[in-house]
Amino acid sequence: MTVRPADALDRIVYLMDRVLADGTRVRAFARARDVVEATGDDEVARLHAAGKLTDLPGIGPTTAKVIGEALDGEVPSYLEHLEAETVLDVGEGAELRAALRGDCHTHSTWSDGGAPIEKMARTAIALGHDYMVLTDHSPRLTVAHGLNAERLVAQLDEVAGLNEELAPFRILTGIEVDILEDGALDQTEELLARLDVVVASVHSKLRMERREMTKRMVSAVASPHVDILGHCTGRKLVGRGRPPSTFDAEIVFAACAQFDTALEINCRPERQDPPDDLLDLAIDWDLRFAIDTDAHAPGQMEWQVHGCDKATRHGIEPDRIVNTMGADDLVAWAADHG
Ligand SMILES: [Zn+2]
Ligand SMILES: [Zn+2]
């Protein structure tokens, strides 16, 4: 079986994202893929025959080797290696993973994601999902190109078109809305009411004083629009890292219980939010949970295995996890809980 050079490079990008490989390396392969795609198969084949692939911008020895092997009808050795080395093992969470019907937290190139909506959706389909909730950022998160009301409305149009094409799979409309410093939400009431599922997260002033942070989070959790509280501590475990925010978890989780707002189990390897002790506390409050990847690239949509292992280790029952629901039930719950 021959693989097109652009497809081989695209698969390499996917596999690198699956293990959160260094961004610079991933971007190099993504650029090579785009260059090859833009150059066209015939011209790429001609350059390969002439031994001149590295004349193309962004093509170095490694990517040229991948392209050459693909054109010669081989599975590129670099790709073969990555396929084997980046497999994510699911442990005790295997049964739960099989019970998940979708992912409630995903990003696209509309904000700071690395792939168009359609590509994210097709990946979700390949992973066996019935739906994904598209949750791009809200306007105040300017570093992530958050969507103002106008752009969000335009996105809803694109989603409607894609849903016709991809049925019975469904892209559910959503947002990862910023919880502003005073606890208000960073999008219009009208749009928040219109969306299928709303994830609310803190992205700024993470070092806020405990009492203020508690009030801020409770305000968001109590909003009738908010369905899921995203990565509640905001901690980061890799690189320079970031300590968890401080807040009174008893009060925040009491509010989640009161308003039936789900707590996100964020599967990103560098977040793993909430930490184990807070997760146990949330279980004591009998909260609902959402096992979300917070994927910013297709390969990252496989990360649900991490959250499933964690949830199973903590003894969370599948019926307390909102994404074990089918799309209709999930949307109905989001519309009238609390
Ligand atoms: Zn976030
Ligand atoms: Zn996110």
Side-chain angles (χ1 to χ4, degrees):
M1 193 189 75
T2 57
V3 53
R4 284 181 63 232
D7 292 342
L9 292 164
D10 189 54
R11 180 71 185 165
I12 286 170
V13 169
Y14 179 97
L15 297 173
M16 289 173 108
D17 281 332
R18 175 157 90 173
V19 290
L20 198 60
D22 171 64
T24 315
R25 278 175 63 223
V26 181
R27 278 191 294 277
F29 279 94
R31 174 154 190 252
R33 171 199 64 199
D34 295 344
V35 166
V36 165
E37 201 68 89
T39 306
D41 290 351
D42 292 347
E43 176 64 6
V44 170
R46 194 189 65 76
L47 286 168
H48 171 51
K52 289 187 167 170
L53 278 174
T54 52
D55 285 1
L56 285 170
I59 304 297
T62 309
T63 43
K65 186 157 179 268
V66 169
I67 297 164
E69 287 169 351
L71 286 169
D72 295 340
E74 298 161 29
V75 176
S77 53
Y78 196 90
L79 173 59
E80 200 171 22
H81 223 79
L82 277 180
E83 287 284 3
E85 295 213 322
T86 65
V87 173
L88 301 184
D89 287 322
V90 55
E92 52 211 308
E95 206 176 314
L96 179 56
R97 173 61 190 85
L100 294 185
R101 311 278 300 272
D103 194 333
C104 298
H105 187 163
T106 63
H107 295 273
S108 75
T109 43
W110 280 74
S111 64
D112 59 347
I117 303 170
E118 180 173 355
K119 193 159 184 178
M120 295 297 281
R122 290 195 185 279
T123 304
I125 293 169
L127 293 174
H129 288 322
D130 299 336
Y131 59 87
M132 72 172 200
V133 185
L134 180 64
T135 54
D136 276 313
H137 290 287
S138 63
R140 296 280 184 101
L141 206 61
T142 47
V143 287
H145 310 290
L147 279 62
N148 60 21
E150 198 183 328
R151 288 182 67 221
L152 181 53
V153 169
Q155 183 181 67
L156 296 180
D157 282 344
E158 178 172 329
V159 168
L162 283 169
N163 273 332
E164 281 180 25
E165 225 174 283
L166 299 173
F169 180 83
R170 283 170 69 184
I171 303 165
L172 301 180
T173 60
I175 186 172
E176 180 179 17
V177 68
D178 255 55
I179 303 173
L180 301 174
E181 277 176 57
D182 62 356
L185 301 173
D186 184 29
Q187 191 44 275
T188 66
E189 286 277 322
E190 190 208 340
L191 276 170
L192 291 172
R194 205 174 136 187
L195 299 169
D196 291 324
V197 176
V198 172
V199 176
S201 311
V202 170
H203 290 113
S204 60
K205 282 273 175 80
L206 289 145
R207 311 306 313 138
M208 194 177 234
E209 186 269 325
R210 176 183 166 96
R211 224 183 138 90
E212 290 299 303
M213 183 61 102
T214 305
K215 257 171 68 182
R216 179 184 185 184
M217 292 171 77
V218 166
S219 301
V221 164
S223 161
H225 300 306
V226 173
D227 306 307
I228 298 168
L229 177 61
H231 50 69
C232 66
T233 77
R235 72 171 180 173
K236 291 265 181 81
L237 298 169
V238 298
R240 280 178 303 158
R242 188 162 65 205
S245 296
T246 54
F247 54 90
D248 189 326
E250 290 278 3
I251 295 177
V252 172
F253 293 169
C256 287
Q258 174 69 33
F259 297 100
D260 194 22
T261 303
L263 184 71
E264 177 179 82
I265 295 175
N266 189 296
C267 299
R268 295 191 65 85
E270 84 279 25
R271 285 195 183 272
Q272 300 179 35
D273 215 348
D276 288 320
D277 55 336
L278 282 191
L279 186 56
D280 285 335
L281 183 64
I283 292 165
D284 290 343
W285 277 99
D286 196 26
L287 300 188
R288 288 190 201 259
F289 298 93
I291 298 181
D292 294 341
T293 61
D294 195 357
H296 285 67
Q300 300 179 354
M301 294 187 90
E302 292 198 24
W303 288 346
Q304 272 180 329
V305 296
H306 303 317
C308 288
D309 279 346
K310 183 165 167 173
T312 303
R313 219 163 47 234
H314 285 262
I316 300 174
E317 294 296 332
D319 67 354
R320 297 309 290 161
I321 297 166
V322 296
N323 43 332
T324 61
M325 287 191 258
D328 286 334
D329 288 343
L330 177 70
V331 171
W333 165 75
D336 66 21
H337 70 89

